[in-house]
Amino acid sequence: METKYIFVTGGVVSSLGKGIVAASVGRILKQRKLKVFMQKIDPYINIDPGTMSPYQHGEVYVTSDGAETDLDLGHYERFIDENLTQQSNVTAGRIYQSVIEKERKGLYNGTTVQVIPHVTDEIKARIFKVAQESKADVIITEIGGTVGDIESLAFIEAIRQIRYEKGKEQVAIIHTTLIPFLGAAGEFKTKPSQYSVKELLSLGIQPDILVCRSDAQVPSSILDKLSLFCNVPREYVLSLPDCSNIYQVPLVLAEQKIDLFLANLLKLKISSLDMKEWQTINNKIDDIKNETRIAIIAKYANLTDAYLSVIESLKIAGFNCNTKVKYDILDAEKLTVKNLKETLGKYEGIIVPGGFGARGIEGKILAINYARTHKIPFLGLCLGMQLACIEFARNVCKLENANSTEFDLQTPYPILDLLRGKSYSDQMGGTLRLGNYPATLKSNTLASKLYQKSIVEERHRHRYEFNNDFRQELSDKGLIFSGTYQEQDLVEIIELPSKVHPFFIASQFHPEFTSRINRPNPLFLGFIKAVTK
Ligand code: GLN
């Protein structure tokens, strides 16, 4: 079967959950035994989100091959359970960069380089490349932003051309849109969605399926009206009110037969639909009575999107341990020796997630010290591992002012330092250790017990490394270096022995990127198990 393309666009407003809709369609089609691959197109000029503030963009998700990508790729991977690649996140920045490089090399043979056809050809090439490399039956491509944005015009035009060239049986368009409820009028309103479909039509695209987002169930008569105004058959107008958890979305869309409509539009050969496992997980989530409270000690307090994969990993580990994880993202800068007990005393586990820059690190170190000395389960992620080493060096080994050279170039004890190739340019992103590296686990450690393997591959995104000059000293005082990347002798996991602490482990890599709904990452699972004990 030739690869089929499904494009997911968004109307009216951003933050509709287009990524979850795209990921859910992916999961349902996978349950129909189709090979699915996913891609996100972001219309901004940044090459990738690696350099963007978490306030703007939330977390940077990292693929196994080391791409720094939009957080929606995290949803895609958690939902469809396929490893995505560098090709899965395309930005306008990348497209323009490669068009300009080609122009400079004279590859356009003296023609005037224009949005159409040169930029649109580049966009199409990226979409076709994914199809070719992944050999998937279906490629689902989400277009970031909202239809009507100036930035996304070239992308919408590229989709129009793909559909025109390949024909309707190869290309389907799902438009996710908003049906707002006006409290004062007591009515759901279709007009914004009508306008957004008109906007798409004016760009030459007739959507095939509408997914209508709303905060409550929309009456059928409202959807009838939308169907009429938008030339979309009534049964292809689906309703997606807010769900109690995002993992219900595939069930809601499957119940409305989105897979059958897509199969009909694209002439897909599908097997019978089996959503049993997904349903069982959702039933389990609904039935959970116990609660667990976790503190995430962070630079960006209350900014859920900045720690999205951490939070999803906690929730997923929670479902698997029969507990609902309640978390607070606390401002590390507000922690002091005085308020530490009062602030952290009510939590059953403490996480220090990844981060860059000095802001908040002393508060995080205080929290780690609290977790270590009060025997509270602790999980450190990337920066969290680095700070756990600093805390141990300062307070157990008495290395006063031990630090990372990221935060203090003058520190007498550079526990973390730039170690791999010290040449740094002003190019952002170029000096990070990114993507999968294998860690060899020491036997009879917490790490090897949790992973049940001797070598694990996990994803990285960091610049500083544990400085091996201090390994002996910290290890003499009881810190266990339980995982290393052997080729370069880099520290990957540290932990405390079970006789001194019930659960204290931290990794240089980001375990949060590999939790899947039916397969929590072992470090998160171990952490939640320890917390619920
Ligand atoms: N800032 C640290 C480093 O660059 C940790 C990075 C992270 O937590 N992702 O090494």
Side-chain angles (χ1 to χ4, degrees):
M1 185 170 81
E2 205 191 322
T3 305
K4 309 281 184 173
Y5 300 86
I6 297 173
F7 292 98
V8 180
T9 58
V12 186
V13 290
S14 58
S15 310
L16 276 180
K18 254 186 310 157
I20 311 255
V21 169
S24 299
V25 171
R27 186 68 210 196
I28 302 168
L29 295 181
K30 188 169 172 172
Q31 296 306 111
R32 289 272 188 187
K33 302 210 169 51
L34 292 169
K35 183 167 166 42
V36 178
F37 203 75
M38 298 193 66
Q39 184 183 42
K40 167 99 194 253
I41 293 184
D42 279 307
Y44 49 68
I45 312 286
N46 305 59
I47 296 294
D48 61 44
T51 56
M52 281 188 198
S53 155
Y55 287 116
Q56 298 260 318
H57 197 269
E59 129 188 309
V60 173
Y61 188 78
V62 181
T63 57
S64 57
D65 67 346
E68 297 178 87
T69 74
D70 185 77
L71 52 75
D72 273 322
L73 270 80
H75 289 310
Y76 301 170
E77 286 204 353
R78 282 186 288 275
F79 276 69
I80 68 168
D81 198 7
E82 297 284 338
N83 284 338
L84 301 176
T85 63
Q86 298 273 359
Q87 310 298 333
S88 303
N89 202 180
V90 175
T91 63
R94 266 189 214 284
I95 299 286
Y96 278 93
Q97 187 184 43
S98 85
V99 168
I100 290 167
E101 274 168 12
K102 285 183 185 163
E103 188 273 338
R104 292 289 82 188
K105 286 186 189 147
L107 297 178
Y108 292 117
N109 295 326
T111 53
T112 308
V113 180
Q114 292 178 298
V115 173
I116 304 169
H118 302 102
V119 170
T120 44
D121 280 354
E122 191 68 36
I123 297 169
K124 282 153 62 185
R126 304 270 170 150
I127 296 168
F128 296 146
K129 191 166 180 200
V130 162
Q132 201 186 19
E133 284 182 3
S134 66
K135 299 193 173 56
D137 300 314
V138 181
I139 304 290
I140 302 174
T141 304
E142 177 194 348
I143 313 292
T146 307
V147 168
D149 293 348
I150 290 179
E151 282 88 352
S152 56
L153 283 175
F155 295 99
I156 304 282
E157 167 60 15
I159 300 176
R160 187 195 64 76
Q161 291 179 20
I162 293 178
R163 192 179 217 186
Y164 176 70
E165 285 161 23
K166 300 234 168 231
K168 286 199 170 163
E169 288 188 5
Q170 294 295 117
V171 181
I173 317 273
I174 300 176
H175 187 58
T176 311
T177 185
L178 177 74
I179 310 279
F181 181 76
L182 288 193
E187 271 178 42
F188 284 96
K189 292 293 184 188
T190 63
K191 192 74 49 103
S193 293
Q194 291 181 39
Y195 279 125
S196 112
V197 171
K198 272 211 181 103
E199 182 74 36
L200 260 184
L201 285 168
S202 76
L203 300 171
I205 292 180
Q206 165 70 55
D208 299 300
I209 294 178
L210 298 180
V211 174
C212 301
R213 292 281 297 110
S214 56
D215 46 19
Q217 191 65 49
V218 177
S220 193
S221 57
I222 296 285
L223 302 180
D224 294 347
K225 191 167 158 189
L226 200 58
S227 153
L228 179 68
F229 279 103
C230 301
N231 330 311
V232 175
R234 173 62 186 86
E235 70 269 30
Y236 287 47
V237 179
L238 312 186
S239 161
L240 182 59
D242 288 351
C243 295
S244 61
N245 82 74
I246 55 173
Y247 300 106
Q248 282 182 353
V249 177
L251 298 174
V252 175
L253 295 180
E255 200 178 296
Q256 295 174 78
K257 304 193 172 57
I258 196 166
D259 46 331
L260 290 180
F261 302 149
L262 287 166
N264 187 23
L265 289 162
L266 297 172
K267 305 286 173 274
L268 290 168
K269 289 186 203 77
I270 48 174
S271 317
S272 62
L273 180 63
D274 177 7
M275 297 296 286
K276 256 189 253 107
E277 189 189 9
W278 206 265
Q279 182 72 60
T280 312
I281 292 170
N282 270 282
N283 293 347
K284 217 157 127 186
I285 299 175
D286 290 341
D287 287 347
I288 293 172
K289 306 265 173 329
N290 306 330
E291 275 184 14
T292 304
R293 292 177 62 102
I294 304 295
I296 301 173
I297 316 296
K299 179 171 171 179
Y300 304 100
N302 301 323
L303 193 62
T304 311
D305 272 0
Y307 306 100
L308 193 66
S309 292
V310 174
I311 291 164
E312 290 308 315
S313 289
L314 283 172
K315 288 190 199 161
I316 292 172
F319 317 151
N320 284 275
C321 297
N322 223 349
T323 186
K324 190 170 265 160
V325 175
K326 296 266 174 195
Y327 62 88
D328 288 314
I329 308 175
L330 305 179
D331 185 346
E333 275 191 303
K334 296 220 172 100
L335 286 179
T336 60
V337 176
K338 275 199 181 138
N339 68 20
L340 206 53
K341 196 169 174 45
E342 169 201 347
T343 317
L344 296 182
K346 51 182 177 288
Y347 297 100
E348 285 135 323
I350 293 176
I351 288 199
V352 174
F356 291 83
R359 182 151 69 78
I361 65 150
E362 292 303 326
K364 293 180 186 178
I365 291 172
L366 282 176
I368 295 168
N369 178 267
Y370 183 84
R372 183 173 62 77
T373 53
H374 290 76
K375 303 199 188 316
I376 313 221
F378 168 75
L379 178 60
L381 313 169
C382 201
L383 178 65
M385 182 203 91
Q386 300 181 348
L387 297 178
C389 293
I390 293 171
E391 192 281 321
F392 195 87
R394 286 185 189 174
N395 300 319
V396 182
C397 304
K398 305 292 176 207
L399 303 178
E400 208 178 317
N401 294 323
N403 216 327
S404 163
T405 52
E406 180 179 4
F407 315 123
D408 178 7
L409 276 172
Q410 258 66 58
T411 171
Y413 306 109
I415 304 294
L416 282 299
D417 200 0
L418 296 172
L419 293 173
R420 297 157 291 110
K422 289 203 182 202
S423 62
Y424 287 90
S425 64
D426 55 4
Q427 293 273 320
M428 303 287 272
T431 54
L432 289 165
R433 181 150 77 111
L434 286 168
N436 267 18
Y437 285 85
T440 304
L441 307 185
K442 207 178 200 161
S443 50
N444 299 320
T445 56
L446 177 58
S448 69
K449 201 175 101 200
L450 295 175
Y451 276 103
Q452 297 282 320
K453 280 195 218 170
S454 54
I455 298 185
V456 295
E457 292 250 339
E458 292 278 13
R459 302 179 189 182
H460 297 68
R461 179 173 181 254
H462 68 111
R463 200 168 273 126
Y464 292 80
E465 303 284 355
F466 182 83
N467 183 350
N468 284 338
D469 292 349
F470 295 93
R471 214 195 272 192
Q472 193 59 51
E473 197 166 352
L474 269 61
S475 137
D476 288 347
K477 293 280 189 213
L479 193 70
I480 300 173
F481 294 87
S482 51
T484 45
Y485 170 43
Q486 294 212 313
E487 211 174 294
Q488 292 181 31
D489 199 22
L490 299 176
V491 169
E492 292 280 9
I493 308 178
I494 60 123
E495 61 185 73
L496 287 175
S498 56
K499 58 180 189 305
V500 301
H501 198 288
F503 190 96
F504 189 101
I505 195 163
S507 64
Q508 186 57 80
F509 51 77
H510 290 270
E512 68 270 27
F513 295 142
T514 49
S515 283
R516 302 291 175 258
I517 181 164
N518 53 351
R519 212 163 359 92
N521 175 284
L523 296 187
F524 278 89
L525 187 61
F527 174 67
I528 295 294
K529 271 190 187 152
V531 159
T532 50
K533 241 181 210 163

